[in-house]
Amino acid sequence: MEKNVKRISVFDTTLRDGEQTPGVSFPLSYKIQIAKQLDKLGVDYIEAGFPAASKGEFEAVKTIVELGLESKICGLARIVKEDIDAALDSGADLIHIFISTSKIQIDHTIKKSRDEIVEIAVDAVEYIKNHGRKCMFSAMDATRTEIDYLKRIYKAVEGAGVDIINVPDTVGVATPFRFHNLIKQLREHLKVPIDVHCHNDFGLAAANTYVAVLAGATQVQVTINGIGERAGNANLAEVVMILESIEGIKTGIKTEFLVETSKLVERFSGLKLPPNTPIVGENAFSHESGIHAHGVIKEASTFEPGVITPEMVGHRRRIVLGKHAGRHQIKKILEEAGYHVSEENLSKIVEKVKEIGDRGKRVTDLDLFTIAEVVIGELKKEERAILVDEITVLTGNKITPTAVINANVMEDKKVTSAIGVGPVDAALKAVTDLVGKRIKITEFKMDAITGGSDALAEVYVTVEDETGRSFTARAAGPDIVMASIDAVINAVNYLLIKKKINNSE
Ligand code: KIV
Ligand code: ZN
C-alpha cells in the first residue's frame, strides 16, 4: 500500500449497480431512506442512479442530491451527450462515465475503433470538466482488456483532467494475484487516483477489492449486502472490516451501523440474507458447539476472530442451543436466568436438550427453561401474564389486513387492534400493543413441518424487552396467524412473569 494514503474512500453503488440485481427495484421513498442511511454510515460517495435511464431515475438522483447529505452524490452516464447532460442536470457532484474497452465487448456491442473510443472518452471528460463537475472514468470490462490499450485510454483521460479512474472487473473474472498485478501496473503508469469495482461471480469480489487497495487503489466500490448484477458486487461490510480490523486502514465508515444498514437493504430489496453471511449475517457471532461456546463464554476471541467484536458492527453474540450444546453453556444460560441447578439435574437437562437437538430442532430459551422447571419440579403451568380471550383477524384483496385482540394482561382487560402488510404482521402488532410496545420482535422464522395445505407451521421468535434482554420461543399449529401469535405470547409471558418475580424480589 502507498505510504502516503491515510484513508480509503468508500463509494457505495447499492442504489445503482445494487438496483440492477434481477428482481430489485427501489421506489423513490426507499431510495431516499437508503441514501440517508448510507450517509449515516459515512460513505464518501453514493451512486444514486443512472439519470438518463428513465424519468424516475432522473428524479431519484435529483431528489437525493437535494437532500444535502454529507456524502457526495454520483450519477452514472454512458459516453453519449444525452446521458452526460442528464447526469449534469441531476446536480450530481460526480459524473461517472463508462465505455467498453475489451475486444469481446467492442466487437459485439459498441462496434467502434479503439482510436475512436479513446477520442470520445477524452471529449466526454473535457465536456464534464468544462461544466465544472468532477468526473470518474470507467473502462468497462477492464480485466478482459489488453493491458497496453487499458494503459493508453486511462493515460488519455488523465491528460484530459479526469478526477479518478475506475477499474471494473465487470464479469468477475479477476483473481487476487492477477488483479493486484493489474492495479500495481496502473498505479505505476498513472498519477490519478484509482478506484475499483469488483463483481462476485467467483466469490472473489471482496478479496479482489482488498488486494487492489494493497496495490495502490484509494477508492472502493461496494454495495450493501453485496447486491448487484448477477452474483453481485463487493460487500461493503466485508471490505470495510477487512481493511479496518485486519489491516488497520481507515475507511471513515461508522461500523456500528453496519448491521442496521444491512437489515434496511435486506428489507427494501426483498433479498433475504443467508444467516452465514460474514459480519452482518444472523450467525456471524453465534455459537452452538459446546466446545466453542465454552471458550467464548470465558474469552470471546478463543473462537471468534478477536479483531472484530459484535459491538463494533452493531451485532450481538448469541449462544444457540442444539445437539452440540455443552454443560457449561447450558449452566451459564440457566444461571443468568436465575436457575441454580445441581450437577445431577444439570446432566438431566443437558440430556433432554440434546434429545431435542437430535430431532433436528433448535432449542429455544423457553424450551430450556421449561425443561429445567420440569426437572427441578417447579413448573407452574397456570402462571401466564397474558391470557387471550378472543382474536379476530381480517384479510382479503380489498381489505387492509387488520387484527383485534381481547386479552387479560396481568389481570387487566385489554383490547388492541392493528393493521399490517399481511394478517401475521397485523396480529403481531396487536400483540405487541397489548404490552404497550414494551417488546420488540427481533427475529421471526416460520417453517412448514408437514406437507400439504394443512401443514403444521412452526414459528420461532426472538423477542427483546426494553432492557435489551432477548428471549427465544416457539409455537406450532395449522394456522400460521395463531402459531405466530402463540409464539410471541409464549415469549412475552415468560418475560413478564420473570419481571414480576424479579420486581417482587
Ligand atoms: O460492472 C461494471 O462494469 C459497471 C460499470 C458501469 C462500472 O457497473
Ligand atoms: Zn458493475
Side-chain angles (χ1 to χ4, degrees):
M1 184 171 169
E2 287 187 354
K3 295 218 165 39
N4 56 355
V5 174
K6 297 235 170 19
R7 106 155 167 77
I8 294 300
S9 162
V10 176
F11 179 104
D12 182 278
T13 182
T14 305
L15 293 176
R16 199 278 298 168
D17 211 315
E19 211 198 13
Q20 287 171 221
T21 308
V24 172
S25 172
F26 299 120
L28 180 61
S29 64
Y30 284 10
K31 288 195 181 193
I32 293 172
Q33 285 185 70
I34 292 174
K36 286 183 176 166
Q37 182 69 26
L38 291 170
D39 185 54
K40 176 176 173 190
L41 188 64
V43 306
D44 295 279
Y45 280 98
I46 296 171
E47 189 166 42
F50 194 161
S54 69
K55 249 175 97 187
E57 269 292 282
F58 177 83
E59 281 311 320
V61 178
K62 191 163 177 288
T63 308
I64 293 171
V65 168
E66 286 164 2
L67 293 174
L69 305 173
E70 282 283 307
S71 309
K72 297 267 172 272
I73 308 303
C74 173
L76 183 71
R78 288 171 304 172
I79 303 193
V80 290
K81 192 170 178 306
E82 307 82 79
D83 277 30
I84 297 173
D85 285 341
L88 289 168
D89 290 346
S90 73
D93 304 287
L94 175 71
I95 313 299
H96 176 189
I97 51 171
F98 68 98
I99 191 158
S100 296
T101 52
S102 66
K103 179 171 173 6
I104 187 150
Q105 291 198 353
I106 294 173
D107 289 352
H108 294 279
T109 59
I110 53 174
K111 299 188 176 130
K112 287 191 188 329
S113 79
R114 284 174 169 64
D115 289 347
E116 254 179 296
I117 294 171
V118 173
E119 203 179 304
I120 59 173
V122 165
D123 288 349
V125 173
E126 285 171 351
Y127 183 72
I128 293 164
K129 293 308 295 174
N130 286 340
H131 281 78
R133 222 65 74 76
K134 281 198 162 192
C135 177
M136 172 160 69
F137 171 77
S138 281
M140 188 153 76
D141 208 9
T143 49
R144 293 193 300 180
T145 301
E146 294 97 343
I147 182 74
D148 289 344
Y149 183 59
L150 201 58
K151 285 182 177 169
R152 180 181 155 205
I153 195 161
Y154 281 139
K155 197 75 188 170
V157 291
E158 180 178 86
V162 82
D163 295 281
I164 183 162
I165 57 129
N166 174 38
V167 186
D169 181 25
T170 303
V171 293
V173 288
T175 55
F177 279 125
R178 286 198 302 118
F179 202 53
H180 184 278
N181 185 32
L182 172 64
I183 301 301
K184 192 161 169 278
Q185 284 194 53
L186 292 174
R187 183 61 292 147
E188 282 160 6
H189 185 68
L190 303 162
K191 292 190 187 63
V192 69
I194 298 178
D195 163 276
V196 291
H197 172 104
C198 298
H199 277 277
N200 205 28
D201 298 69
F202 288 88
L204 290 171
N208 287 333
T209 306
Y210 160 59
V211 297
V213 169
L214 298 184
T218 49
Q219 181 162 288
V220 291
Q221 294 204 5
V222 283
T223 60
I224 302 300
N225 298 343
I227 65 171
E229 282 270 3
R230 306 180 309 282
N233 291 74
N235 185 325
L236 181 146
E238 292 168 22
V239 171
V240 164
M241 293 318 290
I242 293 169
L243 295 178
E244 291 263 351
S245 62
I246 298 183
E247 289 295 341
I249 299 171
K250 294 276 166 259
T251 61
I253 293 295
K254 298 181 185 98
T255 60
E256 65 275 23
F257 300 126
L258 283 172
V259 168
E260 181 181 294
T261 311
S262 159
K263 283 200 188 309
L264 183 84
V265 171
E266 179 182 30
R267 193 151 56 86
F268 286 176
S269 64
L271 297 172
K272 188 96 192 83
L273 210 59
N276 59 341
T277 305
I279 318 289
V280 291
E282 195 52 38
N283 289 354
F285 298 93
S286 296
H287 305 270
E288 195 210 284
S289 137
I291 300 166
H292 286 213
H294 182 200
V296 165
I297 288 165
K298 292 219 145 120
E299 165 54 51
S301 58
T302 50
F303 288 98
E304 280 180 13
V307 288
I308 168 174
T309 64
E311 294 74 26
M312 278 163 79
V313 297
H315 218 321
R316 69 202 149 90
R317 182 172 292 113
R318 281 192 319 157
I319 305 290
V320 178
L321 291 177
K323 68 175 169 193
H324 303 109
R327 281 179 83 81
H328 287 94
Q329 182 185 354
I330 294 180
K331 190 171 176 193
K332 169 134 198 299
I333 298 174
L334 288 174
E335 280 178 358
E336 276 176 5
Y339 295 94
H340 297 282
V341 293
S342 65
E343 287 302 306
E344 195 191 335
N345 279 344
L346 182 61
S347 302
K348 288 186 194 155
I349 296 167
V350 172
E351 200 181 309
K352 293 246 180 295
V353 165
K354 285 180 184 278
E355 257 172 49
I356 301 182
D358 271 337
R359 276 189 266 126
K361 300 264 178 216
R362 173 171 152 190
V363 182
T364 64
D365 295 327
L366 189 60
D367 294 331
L368 174 65
F369 300 152
T370 309
I371 292 170
E373 286 176 15
V374 170
V375 169
I376 312 167
E378 271 187 5
L379 185 67
K380 298 187 191 79
K381 259 210 155 76
E382 72 287 0
E383 235 180 359
R384 292 183 73 80
I386 301 182
L387 277 171
V388 175
D389 273 346
E390 214 175 273
I391 301 176
T392 312
V393 181
L394 291 171
T395 190
N397 65 342
K398 300 231 166 109
I399 299 172
T400 305
T402 308
V404 182
I405 302 189
N406 255 293
N408 272 300
V409 181
M410 309 296 262
E411 281 142 37
D412 281 341
K413 269 214 160 308
K414 280 210 168 168
V415 182
T416 56
S417 62
I419 56 168
V421 293
V424 172
D425 185 43
L428 296 187
K429 282 181 178 148
V431 173
T432 50
D433 283 354
L434 279 178
V435 286
K437 296 197 175 70
R438 281 185 293 142
I439 55 139
K440 229 177 22 197
I441 300 164
T442 55
E443 187 195 358
F444 179 89
K445 193 165 165 276
M446 186 184 293
D447 294 322
I449 49 178
T450 52
S453 59
D454 59 350
L456 269 190
E458 187 164 38
V459 176
Y460 287 93
V461 290
T462 305
V463 166
E464 200 177 282
D465 71 7
E466 333 100 302
T467 67
R469 193 169 51 143
S470 69
F471 190 76
T472 53
R474 89 167 103 216
D479 180 326
I480 56 168
V481 177
M482 292 309 298
S484 308
I485 292 174
D486 286 346
V488 175
I489 288 188
N490 286 344
V492 174
N493 263 326
Y494 191 87
L495 281 171
L496 288 183
I497 298 254
K498 279 285 148 194
K499 197 165 211 148
K500 195 171 110 189
I501 291 168
N502 290 343
N503 289 346
S504 62
E505 269 166 4

